[in-house]
């Protein structure tokens, strides 16, 4: 991991949990996994304090552990969960999305879980009732039912996931334990091919388990009072039983950042077609993504699950205008100028989306009338567009032209780039050097002879998108660390004023602050808000480059 990433992780822990927990996290970030004893030696803290800090990190899903048999004793090693820690910069965006998707109750539930790390549904509802209270005109029972309904919906849509005891172990340790369990069944040591086959089977089983059921959600028959003090199953008008889903009260849940990132990516993919075609194309793509989202696990999948035309037609919003947003040839309308039906217009839209140069939507080869989304190509397009925007804002359009040329044609020499871009060789050399220093381009040396002299060597320039994304991600980590450090500096400059504002008498009566202090406090809030907005914008760029 890079220095900038380590620094950002350390600053996140300091802001969210304080300087003592930061010491423990900093040792684990810099030195890797280790037991409590060495952590106490490196931090100069007491073992009891180290255990309390580790408890806080484990409670918030930021630390994992692994037990190892060493001679006659079992030693527990602790390690920082970097992925979960870096996701905490997205908390403002997660809260906003929860408010948008699940209304105010969803935002309050998400805030409670992010504050406490993991909670059961009973504890979460009680905490929300304690902090937000009951709205006028509603009883506590009605408020509890509303929060329970919102919590259940978030679990069904996988925005909240159950926390199992195995989640406190590292993913590598769990994979190695499963591999060892399979290899122990074999009489001879496995070959490389057999080991690869075992890993493939275990990966398929893991994916099937994630798609099979939702942990912590159970189904039961809905009951009603029969008038004699007994409960009986509720029936629909056609005689079918009513089955309801409810969350188990003894299961702990946490916020699933991966599900939020998947939804944000799906929205960005749909927005590509709004800029390229029209809003109706965006609506169609967004509906396809919503139908396929249930079986999505993470953003690294190459394809979505197939979606049929009939299911898509029935799932489109009612206000979708498919007919008036298409242009028809008069010869196709007939003598009565009759426009095609809705399903024919949808077929034409699907054909347009399939023939688009981005090649994101395509037919499923094994199933007739069903389509899938090429998520890998869509993610590559989103990354490429973001990198182009950064290069254009930093250096200008000529640099973007050179980058696009190399991305389309592959490896080229300076003279070839100069000829294709119609720019002097001197200017091209300067721009290539700038882009290479920035981390967007790579230089490949191909010697003609064994001596490798510069005069007898080809110098080929190319764009490697994953490497460029990693380089820009590290630069963005550096910028985010600077913004977060600036917030600490701004607060430290006004520490006396902030301490005064924390007093109970000042909170009760703000007239105890004079005009100069109020103005200074307003200035501080404005600066902090601006820094937080800038950091959130950069965090959105990091999501695209790192997670998509």
């Amino acid at each position: 991991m890079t220095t900038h990433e380590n620094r950002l992780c350390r600053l996140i822990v300091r802001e969210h949990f304080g300087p003592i927990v930061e010491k423990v996290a900093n040792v684990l970030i810099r030195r890797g996994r280790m037991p409590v004893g060495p952590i106490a030696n490196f931090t100069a803290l007491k073992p009891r304090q180290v255990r309390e800090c580790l408890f806080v990190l484990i409670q918030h899903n930021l630390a994992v552990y692994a037990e190892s048999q060493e001679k006659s004793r079992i030693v527990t090693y602790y390690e920082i969960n970097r992925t979960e820690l870096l996701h905490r910069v997205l908390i403002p965006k997660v809260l906003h999305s929860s408010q948008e998707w699940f209304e105010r109750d969803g935002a309050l539930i998400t805030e409670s879980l992010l504050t406490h790390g993991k909670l059961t549904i009973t504890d979460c509802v009680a905490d929300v009732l304690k902090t937000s209270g009951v709205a006028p005109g509603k009883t506590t029972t009605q408020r509890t039912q509303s929060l329970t309904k919102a919590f259940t919906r978030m679990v069904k849509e996988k925005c909240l996931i159950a926390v199992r005891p195995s989640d406190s172990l590292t993913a590598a340790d769990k994979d190695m334990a499963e591999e060892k369990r399979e290899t122990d069944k074999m009489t001879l040591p496995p070959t490389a091919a057999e080991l690869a086959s075992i890993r493939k089977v275990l990966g398929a089983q893991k994916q099937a388990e994630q798609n099979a059921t939702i942990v912590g959600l159970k189904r039961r028959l809905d009951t009603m009072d029969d008038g004699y003090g007994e409960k009986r199953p509720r029936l629909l008008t056609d005689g079918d039983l009513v089955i309801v889903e409810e969350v188990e009260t003894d299961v702990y849940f946490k916020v699933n950042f991966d599900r939020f990132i998947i939804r944000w990516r799906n929205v960005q993919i749909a927005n590509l077609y709004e800029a390229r075609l029209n809003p109706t194309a965006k609506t169609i793509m967004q509906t396809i993504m919503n139908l396929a989202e249930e079986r999505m696990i993470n953003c690294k999948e190459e394809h979505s699950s197939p979606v049929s035309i009939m299911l898509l037609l029935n799932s489109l919003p009612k206000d979708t205008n498919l007919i008036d947003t298409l242009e028809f040839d008069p010869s196709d309308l007939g003598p009565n100028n009759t426009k095609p039906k809705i399903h024919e217009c949808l077929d034409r839209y699907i054909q347009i989306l399939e023939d688009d140069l981005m090649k994101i939507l395509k037919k499923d080869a094994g199933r007739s009338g069903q389509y899938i989304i090429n998520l890998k190509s869509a993610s590559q397009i989103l990354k490429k567009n973001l990198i182009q925007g950064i290069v254009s804002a930093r250096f200008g359009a000529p640099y973007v032209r050179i980058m696009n040329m190399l991305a389309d044609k592959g490896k080229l020499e300076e003279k070839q780039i100069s000829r294709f871009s119609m720019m002097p060789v001197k200017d091209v050399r300067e721009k290539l050097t700038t882009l290479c220093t920035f981390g967007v381009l790579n230089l490949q040396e191909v010697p003609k002879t064994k001596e490798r002299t510069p005069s007898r060597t080809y110098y080929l320039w190319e764009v490697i998108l994953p490497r460029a994304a990693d380089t820009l991600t590290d630069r963005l980590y550096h910028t985010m660390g600077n913004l977060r450090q600036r917030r600490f500096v701004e607060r430290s400059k006004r520490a006396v004023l902030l301490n005064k504002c924390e007093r109970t008498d000042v909170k009760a009566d703000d007239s105890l602050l004079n005009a100069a202090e109020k103005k200074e406090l307003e200035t501080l809030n404005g600066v902090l808000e601006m820094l937080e907005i800038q950091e959130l914008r950069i965090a959105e760029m990091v999501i695209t480059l790192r997670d998509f």
Side-chain angles (χ1 to χ4, degrees), residues 160-196:
L160 304 180
I161 56 174
V163 181
R164 294 167 291 184
S166 60
D167 293 337
S168 295
L169 304 175
T170 62
D173 290 326
K174 288 188 287 187
D175 293 340
M176 287 189 294
E178 292 176 355
E179 288 181 16
K180 186 177 184 302
R181 194 180 304 114
E182 294 295 328
T183 54
D184 288 344
K185 301 177 183 178
M186 306 173 67
T187 56
L188 296 176
T191 62
E194 292 174 341
L195 192 59

Side-chain angles (χ1 to χ4, degrees), residues 415-467:
K415 294 181 180 179
Q416 294 174 314
I417 298 173
S418 175
R419 185 170 67 254
F420 290 143
S421 62
M422 295 182 292
M423 289 189 292
V425 177
K426 180 181 178 181
D427 296 344
V428 169
R429 184 179 297 115
E430 178 186 355
K431 291 176 173 56
L432 290 173
T433 305
T434 302
L435 291 175
C436 184
T437 305
F438 191 65
V440 176
L441 300 186
N442 295 278
L443 182 61
Q444 177 68 48
E445 298 181 0
V446 182
K448 299 179 183 178
T449 60
K450 297 181 180 180
E451 289 77 13
R452 303 181 69 92
T453 57
S455 60
R456 300 187 61 80
T457 302
Y458 293 110
Y459 293 95
L460 303 178
W461 298 88
E462 62 177 337
V463 175
I464 302 178
L465 193 61
R467 188 178 299 177

Side-chain angles (χ1 to χ4, degrees), residues 390-428:
I390 294 175
V391 172
S392 177
R394 183 75 178 267
F395 304 109
Y399 293 83
V400 178
R401 194 196 326 167
I402 292 176
M403 192 185 75
N404 291 338
M405 183 190 311
L406 292 172
D408 295 337
K409 297 182 178 296
K411 298 182 178 68
L412 294 176
E413 287 187 290
E414 280 184 359
K415 294 181 180 179
Q416 294 174 314
I417 298 173
S418 175
R419 185 170 67 254
F420 290 143
S421 62
M422 295 182 292
M423 289 189 292
V425 177
K426 180 181 178 181
D427 296 344
V428 169

Side-chain angles (χ1 to χ4, degrees), residues 33-53:
R33 61 164 62 184
M34 59 178 58
V36 173
I39 297 175
N41 293 334
F42 284 118
T43 58
L45 297 174
K46 296 180 180 179
R48 179 181 60 82
Q49 291 178 302
V50 173
R51 292 190 184 94
E52 291 174 352
C53 294

